[in-house]
Amino acid sequence: MVALALFLALIGTLAAPRMADAQDGSDGSTYTVAPGDTLGAIATRYSVPLDALIAANGIQDPSLIRAGQELIIPNADGSLPIAAVAAVTETGAVRALAGETIATLAARFGQEPALVGELNGAPVSRRLFPGQPVRIPGQAVPPPSVNFGAITAVDAPAAIVQGRTGRIYVDTSRPLLLRGDWNGQPLIFTAIGDDGLRQFAFVPVDSLLEPGQYPLNLGYITTRGDFVQRAWPVQVESGPYDYQEIVVSEDKAAVLTPDVVVAERERVVETWSQITPSVFWEEPFERPIDTDYPTTSPFGTRRTYSVADIGNFHAGQDFGAPEGTLITAPAPGMVVLAEPLAVRGNAVIIDHGRGVFTGYWHMSERKVEPGMWVNTGDVLGLVGNTGLSTGAHLHWELRINGVAVDPMQFIDEPPFVGPEPAATAAP
Ligand SMILES: [Zn+2]
């Protein structure tokens, strides 16, 4: 249900781009960006002020428009064309006016704000960009398969908090090789179920990504060889992260020269860039350490270090525990790294499949070797204080497609069970 609401009627046929002067709206109030277009050229073509064009479409970075994006063309005085805001979109949504929230839009249509928020998976205080489609009760809502070929339903997240992982589910009428990307990274789709008609991908959000709207692009190559895709706007919301300064002791700082730090980063990045398409786990992750040992430093804290290039946020979750405490695998996977490192200390990395890796740093002893298969609960090593560490603890890190995300979400939530697909959630 979440996804349908923020569904933009965007369609780009990249293999066969529209003519540069084509207009999508029957009244000429919208325009679909063609390859090579700039906002300046579009503004000139329609004789509207550039800043009015930017404002009408809620564009935050004018250098970031993309082929297939639908723009509202404002009137010459900057106001929005009546047709653009009055029309019900092809998915049965209405469009927001400048400055509206879910609450004010609901009031305009005589609707209960909480119900509109629920339908759109958004709080009533959510700010909307001008022209943004919003579902309201009582509208006939066809499934978002309209004009989207073999894709029959998409459930994409409306909003994801910095450092958290969203999930997208796609239903198709036949097995499809889906292509998608989020913030410049490819989405890795995995079929769930036996018929291959439902696919799933994680949408990991970097903890430092600026809050705002980002397009999630999804498409496939048709039997005629055309690439068709649509974009979903996904709101990145700021996370509840603190700030701390880490002062590294002089003896440790002396070892951590820029060369050592950079070489080590390249080593771990290379490790978690080797993506295995299979999925090795089905259950929620288990804690990698006994519940007696609480979190001492949560994921995501913004940090500055007295040693350069270590990083600018806490990429994992720390559990304080005495030296020698058992560290266990939270889920099945293959050990792909087990070696001493300068910053991370005695380190182990496990590949859980489809781009998901977990890392365990600062161990006193490693109990596994690269190439070993581990099951949930198998011992990986012992808690220690090796590398850049100021006391015995386990640093537990989870990477998806190389992006560090909050690992605790994988304990709290089953991996592949999401909300019902949008098509069956229509009122
Ligand atoms: Zn840590």
Side-chain angles (χ1 to χ4, degrees):
M1 141 174 344
V2 169
L4 184 53
L6 286 179
F7 189 82
L8 269 187
L10 301 182
I11 182 161
T13 308
L14 297 188
R18 290 155 195 258
M19 297 298 291
D21 59 352
Q23 294 173 2
D24 261 1
S26 55
D27 56 349
S29 60
T30 61
Y31 171 72
T32 301
V33 175
D37 271 342
T38 64
L39 279 174
I42 296 166
T44 303
R45 188 178 309 143
Y46 286 96
S47 304
V48 297
L50 178 59
D51 54 356
L53 183 62
I54 290 170
N57 292 280
I59 292 170
Q60 297 188 336
D61 181 348
S63 67
L64 288 182
I65 59 169
R66 62 187 190 286
Q69 182 173 0
E70 184 186 81
L71 296 178
I72 291 175
I73 305 299
N75 299 321
D77 63 0
S79 64
L80 292 177
I82 293 297
V85 295
V88 173
T89 72
E90 63 177 279
T91 58
V94 298
R95 292 191 185 278
L97 300 174
E100 277 196 318
T101 61
I102 291 281
T104 61
L105 179 139
R108 186 157 61 86
F109 287 92
Q111 300 282 353
E112 177 62 36
L115 184 53
V116 176
E118 169 68 16
L119 267 178
N120 291 277
V124 296
S125 59
R126 167 75 51 75
R127 287 182 59 85
L128 304 167
F129 64 78
Q132 180 170 347
V134 177
R135 285 177 67 190
I136 60 171
Q139 297 286 338
V141 181
S145 55
V146 181
N147 296 333
F148 205 23
I151 292 180
T152 55
V154 175
D155 191 352
I160 309 173
V161 173
Q162 289 173 320
R164 302 280 289 181
T165 304
R167 297 114 187 258
I168 178 171
Y169 296 83
V170 182
D171 292 327
T172 60
S173 58
R174 57 185 167 85
L176 281 186
L177 182 61
L178 293 173
R179 302 251 183 105
D181 65 83
W182 155 256
N183 193 33
Q185 293 179 54
L187 299 178
I188 301 170
F189 283 95
T190 308
I192 44 179
D194 297 330
D195 57 10
L197 300 181
R198 180 151 230 232
Q199 298 187 54
F200 160 86
F202 286 120
V203 187
V205 176
D206 191 290
S207 147
L208 299 175
L209 186 62
E210 275 298 307
Q213 291 266 358
Y214 293 81
L216 187 158
N217 299 305
L218 174 68
Y220 68 96
I221 295 175
T222 68
T223 50
R224 282 180 297 189
D226 295 325
F227 179 59
V228 293
Q229 77 166 357
R230 279 184 170 182
W232 278 253
V234 177
Q235 181 76 25
V236 171
E237 298 182 340
S238 64
Y241 303 124
D242 287 339
Y243 171 79
Q244 68 184 156
E245 281 181 53
I246 306 283
V247 178
V248 179
S249 67
E250 282 185 17
D251 56 325
K252 291 204 170 176
V255 183
L256 301 177
T257 63
D259 283 354
V260 167
V261 171
V262 169
E264 179 175 322
R265 183 182 306 129
E266 286 172 357
R267 173 85 183 106
V268 294
V269 167
E270 195 246 333
T271 302
W272 57 56
S273 300
Q274 313 293 317
I275 290 172
T276 313
S278 321
V279 181
F280 299 149
W281 85 103
E282 291 179 339
E283 304 294 323
F285 280 34
E286 291 187 3
R287 239 169 169 271
I289 194 165
D290 195 276
T291 50
D292 288 349
Y293 306 112
T295 295
T296 48
S297 179
F299 168 87
T301 305
R302 281 70 172 101
R303 285 179 167 180
T304 51
Y305 289 85
S306 58
V307 174
D309 287 336
I310 298 286
N312 44 13
F313 74 101
H314 188 217
Q317 186 94 354
D318 288 352
F319 303 97
E323 202 155 323
T325 305
L326 295 180
I327 298 167
T328 51
M334 180 74 79
V335 177
V336 287
L337 180 145
E339 62 193 47
L341 299 169
V343 178
R344 293 163 181 82
N346 267 317
V348 166
I349 297 177
I350 300 177
D351 177 2
H352 299 285
R354 57 99 44 242
V356 176
F357 293 80
T358 51
Y360 308 79
W361 314 153
H362 313 303
M363 293 178 173
S364 60
E365 268 186 61
R366 304 183 307 275
K367 298 287 193 189
V368 290
E369 297 298 332
M372 277 178 66
W373 178 262
V374 291
N375 287 312
T376 308
D378 286 354
V379 174
L380 304 176
L382 307 179
V383 168
N385 187 29
T386 55
L388 180 54
S389 168
T390 53
H393 77 285
L394 167 65
H395 170 107
W396 181 41
E397 188 160 315
L398 191 147
R399 299 257 167 184
I400 303 179
N401 311 351
V403 177
V405 289
D406 186 350
M408 301 307 279
Q409 193 182 347
F410 278 69
I411 293 177
D412 298 337
E413 298 174 12
F416 309 125
V417 179
E420 285 301 299
T424 59

